[in-house]
Amino acid sequence: MKNLVMACCLSFLVTAAFAQGISQKERSFAVNYLEESRYHLLREIEGLTQDEWSFKPSAEQWSIAQVAEHIALAENGLYHLVVDKLINGEASPEKKEKYAGRDSRFIHVVADRPQKAQTLERFEPMESQKWSSPEEFVLYFNNLRDRTIDFVKNTDIDLRLYYSNFTPMVELDAYQWSIFTGAHTKRHLLQIGEIKEAMALKKEGDDVANE
């Protein structure tokens, strides 16, 4: 009987720990980070003309429209990774302390554009752009980002207990995968800046040629 009571108490403590979810500090950071990266993305594409939206620096490089599509594909895919797969899998509480304190480093690695990487095939944008204007994209993207923010803001699941590989040697927890989209957006803001620079150089060259 004593062992049974002890087992029940332990079960209760484990359940209580799971129900606490992430801390308010973690929740606030995630929401603010996701909102901030969305703000900067929408500001970068606001007012673009159709030509600017579709401009490609070269045949091999993406247009801003394609970068935006890639961001949306990744946002949707990562949301489903967390909500449909990770938090429905087996929790690994033994990893929580081992991987604690890595958020800043992980965000820096993902958002750092100089460290270029090949995207997964399912996140590749179409050659023919999905949205004909920035305005169409914004409507779609806002729904995706609102969904991610709503999940992080309201979940009572401890996202620090569920893990998936980022690289063969590095695992991220479900909390980090949830804010991955913010870092990923910031990474591609740098790419949009590069496209705009190429656009400006082309315009400058065209102006000189027309003098």
Side-chain angles (χ1 to χ4, degrees), residues 1-210:
M1 182 66 177
K2 184 178 179 181
N3 289 338
L4 178 60
V5 171
M6 185 175 294
C8 289
C9 289
L10 288 172
S11 176
F12 172 78
L13 290 173
V14 170
T15 302
F18 274 57
Q20 289 175 358
I22 54 177
S23 70
Q24 187 55 48
K25 182 179 179 181
E26 290 170 323
R27 204 180 300 274
S28 296
F29 173 80
V31 170
N32 291 336
Y33 189 67
L34 291 166
E35 289 284 18
E36 178 201 4
S37 58
R38 166 164 55 185
Y39 168 78
H40 288 294
L41 173 62
L42 300 190
R43 190 176 68 172
E44 280 295 322
I45 66 175
E46 183 180 10
L48 290 178
T49 66
Q50 182 61 57
D51 287 343
E52 290 169 338
W53 179 241
S54 305
F55 172 81
K56 298 177 69 170
S58 71
E60 295 77 28
Q61 293 174 286
W62 291 351
S63 64
I64 294 176
Q66 289 175 305
V67 173
E69 181 181 349
H70 168 69
I71 291 172
L73 288 169
E75 179 97 17
N76 188 53
L78 292 171
Y79 174 84
H80 286 291
L81 169 68
V82 172
V83 174
D84 297 342
K85 183 179 178 183
L86 287 187
I87 62 175
N88 289 311
E90 185 176 349
S92 300
E94 74 280 0
K95 295 180 180 180
K96 189 172 182 177
E97 186 174 346
K98 176 183 176 182
Y99 291 125
R102 302 182 309 159
D103 293 351
S104 296
R105 186 173 63 177
F106 139 73
I107 287 172
H108 174 74
V109 168
V110 175
D112 189 14
R113 171 74 179 158
Q115 298 183 35
K116 297 186 179 180
Q118 181 69 37
T119 189
L120 298 175
E121 185 176 349
R122 65 180 179 273
F123 296 155
E124 287 274 359
M126 299 187 299
E127 279 302 316
S128 58
Q129 61 193 46
K130 186 176 178 68
W131 295 283
S132 61
S133 69
E135 291 76 20
E136 288 183 9
F137 164 76
V138 167
L139 290 173
Y140 181 83
F141 177 74
N142 274 336
N143 286 331
L144 293 181
R145 183 55 60 91
D146 285 343
R147 182 180 63 177
T148 303
I149 290 172
D150 184 66
F151 169 73
V152 174
K153 188 184 291 185
N154 295 301
T155 185
D156 59 359
I157 295 170
D158 189 346
L159 302 178
R160 296 294 193 180
L161 300 178
Y162 301 89
Y163 294 82
S164 179
N165 282 91
F166 175 49
T167 70
M169 300 296 292
V170 177
E171 288 183 300
L172 299 181
D173 61 46
Y175 175 81
Q176 292 166 331
W177 281 116
S178 296
I179 59 175
F180 188 104
T181 52
H184 181 255
T185 299
K186 287 197 168 186
R187 176 186 187 86
H188 288 288
L189 285 171
L190 298 175
Q191 186 177 9
I192 291 173
E194 293 166 6
I195 297 170
K196 286 185 172 182
E197 287 178 7
M199 202 184 302
L201 287 172
K202 182 179 184 303
K203 185 178 184 303
E204 185 179 313
D206 291 345
D207 290 343
V208 169
N210 292 329

